[in-house]
C-alpha cells in the first residue's frame, strides 16, 4: 500500500532571511517531484515550512527591534506567500512554533530519554554562535568556524546530550546496505567518511539563561531544545506523528530534499534520532548543490540574493521553474545569471517548444478546420516521432524518479527539436496545396499532435500551467492533472477539436521602448543585473558583445500579401508569415511592385516595438541594403521554413 504513497519534504527555512532563489530551488524541486508522483497515481504529501527558534532568530528580531515571535510571524508569512507565486502547492506549511510541533518535540524528547539515550553532563567546548553548535578542534579551519570565519567561544556548561554515538555502527551499516539512501553518491561518501571518526554525542539543550527562545525540555524547564533537534522533528509532526493514519502510510516513504550545507544533521543526527525512537530512517535523502552568484554561494548574509517574486516577474512562473530545474544538475553547484535564464527561455521554450505548439496547432486549424486527422497510410518522415516518444517515456520516468530533472528535460528538448525538424522536412504548407497529398498531410499532423499531447504530459510536473494550456488547445479537458498512463502513442481522440494557441512562452526581451509590460520586464532584468554584475572592461565603442546580437530576433519571413497604403507613396503593407502571420509596413514601394513580392522570403527583425505608420501598425522590419543600383532585399540562399531564426 505504501508503495503507492510519496512523502516529500524541503528543509524548513530559517526566518532570519527572506526567501530567495536557493530556497526556491529546493521547494520547486519538491513540488516537481510531488506532481510527478501524483501523475503515477500515488497519494502524495508535500511538506515545507519555517524554522523559527534559536539564537539566529533572536538576533534578527533584536536587529528589527521586535519580539522573536512577531519577527517570525512576519518572515514566515513571506515564505508562505512566496510559494504560490512559483506554482508550488504544499499540503502543509509547518512552523516550529505551531502548537502541535511543540507538543511533538516534547513527546520525542521524553521518548528518547525513556530509552536511556539522553544524559546530563558537564561539557566544555568551542561554540559558534552563528551555527549554534559546538565544534571539534579538527572541524575548524585555522581555528575558525568554516561557515562564519569567526573564532568560536570556549564555553563550559551543563547540558543534555543525545547519545548519538550508540548508533554509529548501525548507521554505517544502514548506509552501506542502502546505496540509494543518500544521493547523489558523493554525498553518501561524504557522510561515510565523516563516520570513519568516532561520533561525538549531540548536545541537545541550551540553558534558558543563554537562550529562552526555544521549546522547553519536558524534563527540565531550565533548558530549551537545541534548534536542530527541534527542527528535524518537523518531518514527523507534519504527518501527524505518532498517531494518525497518515503517519502510518507515509513515514516509510519519506524523502527529504536538502542542499549540501545541511547534510550532517540530515545524514547523521536525524537517522540516529529516529533509531532511538524506534522509527525507520527516511527512504531517501536527496542532496543538491549551491546556487552561486559569481564565485559565491547565494545567501542572505552575502547580500547577493534574487527573490522568487523578482524571478517570476522577469520570466513568468513556468519558465522560472523550467530554468531552475534545467540549469542545475542535481547535486552540483550552478551559477545563476539572468542572462543564462533568458537565453534558455528564448531558445528552448519560446523558440523550440513554443513554436512547435503554435505551428502544429495553427496548421491543424488552417488545413483541417481544427479536426484531429485520422492516422492513415504508409509511414513517412513523421515515423521517427512515435519511436522517439516511446523511448523518451521510460527514460524520462527513470530520470524523474532519480531526481535528475535536468536530464528528463533534456530528453524532452531532443524530441521537441525532432518534431520541429519533421515539420521542416515534411513542409505541411506544401502538402496542403496538393489534394493528392491529403493522407500524407493527415499522417504528419496526427504524429505532431500525438507528440504534443504526450509532451504536454511529460512537461506537466515542471510546467503545470503550460501543460494545461497545451492540453486545453488539444481539446483535452477531461481531467485536472494528466496521468502518466495516458502517455501512450495513439490515444488522441479523433473526435477532439483543436484550437490555435500562439505565444505560449513569450520571448524575454531586453530592448524595449517606453511603457508597457516589456519595459517592466526590462526594468526587473536591469535591477538584477545592476545589483549583481561585476563591472566589465570597457568595450570599444562600436563593438557589441554577442549577447547584444542575441537580443535581436531575426527570422525568415514569407511574404503572403502586399498592397499599397493610400496616401503613402513609399510604403507597402506586407502580410508575412514568420511563422505566425503579422503585418509589416516597409518603405520599399519605390523599388518593388506589390505583386512581385508575394511568395518571396526575406529576413525580418521580429522583436521591434510596434509602430503605426499612416494608420497601419507595423510589427517588425524588413532587412534590405540600398546602394547606387537600388534596393536589395535580404534573402536566403534557398527557401527556409518561415519563422526560422537567423543565428
Ligand atoms: N533551518 C535549517 C534547516 C532545517 S531542516 C530540518 C536551515 N535553514 S536555511 O534557511 O538556512 O535553509 C537552508 C536550505 O535552503 C538549503 O539546504 C537549501 O535547501 C536552501 N538554500 C539556501 N541557499 C541556497 C543556495 N545558495 N543554493 C541552493 N540552495 C540553498 O538550514
Amino acid at each position: 500500500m505504501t508503495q503507492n504513497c510519496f512523502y516529500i519534504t524541503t528543509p524548513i527555512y530559517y526566518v532570519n532571511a527572506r526567501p530567495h532563489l536557493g530556497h526556491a530551488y529546493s521547494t520547486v524541486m519538491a513540488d516537481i517531484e510531488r506532481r510527478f508522483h501524483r501523475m503515477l497515481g500515488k497519494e502524495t504529501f508535500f511538506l515545507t515550512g519555517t524554522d523559527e527558534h534559536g539564537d539566529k532568530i533572536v538576533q534578527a528580531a533584536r536587529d528589527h527591534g521586535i519580539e522573536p515571535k512577531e519577527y517570525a510571524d512576519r518572515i514566515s508569512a513571506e515564505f508562505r506567500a512566496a510559494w504560490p507565486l512559483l506554482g508550488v502547492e504544499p499540503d502543509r506549511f509547518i512552523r516550529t512554533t505551531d502548537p502541535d510541533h511543540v507538543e511533538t518535540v516534547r513527546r520525542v524528547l521524553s521518548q528518547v530519554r525513556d530509552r536511556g539515550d539522553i544524559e546530563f553532563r558537564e561539557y566544555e567546548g568551542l561554540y559558534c554562535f552563528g551555527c549554534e553548535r559546538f565544534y571539534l578542534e579538527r572541524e575548524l579551519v585555522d581555528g575558525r568556524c568554516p561557515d562564519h570565519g569567526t573564532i568560536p567561544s570556549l564555553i563550559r556548561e551543563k547540558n543534555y546530550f543525545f547519545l548519538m554515538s550508540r548508533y554509529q555502527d548501525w548507521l554505517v551499516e544502514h548506509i552501506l546496505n542502502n546505496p540509494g539512501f543518500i544521493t547523489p553518491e558523493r554525498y553518501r561518501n561524504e557522510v561515510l567518511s565523516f563516520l570513519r571518526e568516532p561520533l561525538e554525542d549531540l548536545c541537545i539543550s541550551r540553558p534558558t539563561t543563554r537562550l529562552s527562545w526555544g521549546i522547553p525540555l519536558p524534563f527540565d524547564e531550565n533548558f530549551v531544545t537545541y534548534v536542530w533537534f527541534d527542527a528535524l522533528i518537523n518531518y514527523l509532526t507534519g504527518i501527524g506523528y505518532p498517531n494518525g493514519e497518515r503517519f502510518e502510510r507515509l513515514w516509510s516513504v519519506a524523502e527529504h530534499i536538502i542542499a549540501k550545507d545541511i547534510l550532517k544533521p540530515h545524514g547523521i543526527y536525524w537517522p540516529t534520532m529516529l533509531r532511538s525512537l524506534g522509527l525507520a530512517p527516511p527512504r531517501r535523502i536527496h542532496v543538491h548543490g549551491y546556487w552561486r552568484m559569481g564565485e559565491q554561494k547565494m545567501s542572505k548574509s552575502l547580500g547577493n540574493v534574487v527573490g522568487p517574486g523578482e524571478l517570476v516577474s522577469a520570466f513568468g512562473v513556468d519558465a522560472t521553474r523550467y530554468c531552475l530545474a534545467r540549469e542545475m544538475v542535481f547535486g552540483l553547484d550552478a551559477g545563476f545569471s539572468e542572462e543564462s535564464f533568458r537565453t534558455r527561455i528564448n531558445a528552448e521554450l519560446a523558440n523550440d517548444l513554443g513554436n512547435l505548439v503554435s505551428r502544429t496547432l495553427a496548421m491543424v486549424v488552417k488545413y483541417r478546420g481544427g479536426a484531429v486527422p485520422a492516422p492513415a497510410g504508409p509511414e513517412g518522415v513523421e515515423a521517427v516521432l512515435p519511436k522517439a516518444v516511446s523511448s523518451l517515456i521510460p527514460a524520462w520516468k527513470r530520470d524523474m524518479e532519480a531526481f535528475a530533472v535536468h536530464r528528463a528535460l533534456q530528453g524532452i528538448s531532443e524530441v521537441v527539436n525532432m518534431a520541429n525538424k519533421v515539420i521542416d522536412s515534411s513542409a505541411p504548407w506544401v502538402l496542403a496545396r496538393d489534394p493528392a497529398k491529403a493522407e500524407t498531410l493527415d499522417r504528419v499532423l496526427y504524429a505532431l499532435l500525438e507528440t504534443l499531447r504526450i509532451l504536454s504530459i511529460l512537461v506537466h510536473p515542471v510546467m503545470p500551467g503550460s501543460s494545461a494550456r497545451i492540453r486545453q488547445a488539444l481539446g483535452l479537458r477531461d481531467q485536472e492533472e494528466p496521468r502518466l498512463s495516458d502517455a501512450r502513442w495513439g490515444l488522441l481522440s479523433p473526435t477532439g477539436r483543436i484550437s490555435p494557441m500562439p505565444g505560449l512562452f513569450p520571448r524575454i526581451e531586453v530592448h524595449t521602448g517606453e511603457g508597457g509590460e516589456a519595459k517592466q520586464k526590462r526594468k526587473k532584468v536591469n535591477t538584477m543585473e545592476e545589483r549583481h554584475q561585476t563591472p566589465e572592461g570597457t568595450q570599444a565603442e562600436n563593438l557589441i558583445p554577442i549577447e547584444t546580437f542575441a537580443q535581436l530576433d531575426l527570422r525568415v519571413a514569407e511574404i503572403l500579401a502586399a498592397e499599397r497604403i493610400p496616401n503613402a507613396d513609399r510604403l507597402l503593407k506586407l502580410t508575412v508569415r514568420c511563422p505566425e502571420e503579422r503585418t509589416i509596413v516597409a518603405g520599399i514601394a519605390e523599388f518593388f511592385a506589390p505583386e512581385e513580392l508575394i511568395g518571396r522570403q526575406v529576413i525580418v527583425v521580429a522583436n521591434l516595438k510596434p509602430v503605426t505608420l499612416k494608420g497601419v501598425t507595423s510589427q517588425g522590419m524588413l532587412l534590405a541594403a540600398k546602394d547606387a543600383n537600388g534596393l536589395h532585399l535580404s534573402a536566403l540562399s534557398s527557401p527556409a521554413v518561415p519563422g526560422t531564426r537567423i543565428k
Side-chain angles (χ1 to χ4, degrees), residues 159-176:
N159 261 313
Y160 288 88
F161 284 79
F162 166 51
L163 305 185
M164 196 159 71
S165 54
R166 288 186 171 174
Y167 298 104
Q168 175 158 11
D169 293 345
W170 164 81
L171 181 57
V172 171
E173 195 79 347
H174 181 78
I175 298 175
L176 291 175

Side-chain angles (χ1 to χ4, degrees), residues 413-447:
S413 272
E414 282 160 19
V415 171
V416 167
N417 289 337
M418 185 179 286
N420 273 321
K421 283 199 189 109
V422 165
I423 300 186
D424 300 349
S425 55
S426 62
W429 47 93
V430 176
L431 299 174
R433 285 190 213 127
D434 183 353
K437 301 271 171 63
E439 270 199 2
T440 312
L441 179 60
D442 276 354
R443 255 185 8 236
V444 170
L445 294 179
Y446 182 84

Side-chain angles (χ1 to χ4, degrees), residues 11-14 20 22-23 26 51 259 261-262 288-291 298:
I12 47 170
Y13 305 111
Y14 286 131
H20 64 66
H23 308 121
S26 312
D51 190 355
D261 53 343
I262 53 176
H288 62 78
Y290 291 151
W291 283 92
M298 190 181 288

Side-chain angles (χ1 to χ4, degrees), residues 76-97:
S76 179
E78 283 194 35
F79 274 94
R80 192 192 290 265
W83 304 141
L85 298 178
L86 281 161
V88 168
E89 295 171 354
D91 291 298
R92 174 161 178 193
F93 184 93
I94 193 168
R95 302 180 56 185
T96 51
T97 48

Side-chain angles (χ1 to χ4, degrees), residues 375 379 382-390 393 415 443-455 485-492:
E379 294 184 340
E382 81 293 346
V384 294
L385 289 175
K387 291 196 189 91
V389 166
S390 311
I393 296 165
V415 171
R443 255 185 8 236
V444 170
L445 294 179
Y446 182 84
L448 290 169
L449 287 174
E450 242 328 38
T451 304
L452 273 192
R453 185 184 67 83
I454 292 173
L455 289 177
S485 51
D486 288 334
R488 268 184 299 133
W489 192 269
L491 295 187
L492 184 63

Side-chain angles (χ1 to χ4, degrees), residues 132-151:
E132 296 180 32
R133 76 169 180 96
F134 286 99
Y135 271 95
L136 298 173
E137 208 73 72
R138 66 178 147 89
E139 290 178 290
L140 302 176
V141 178
D142 298 330
R144 289 169 184 271
C145 161
D147 275 357
H148 294 87
T150 48
I151 298 176

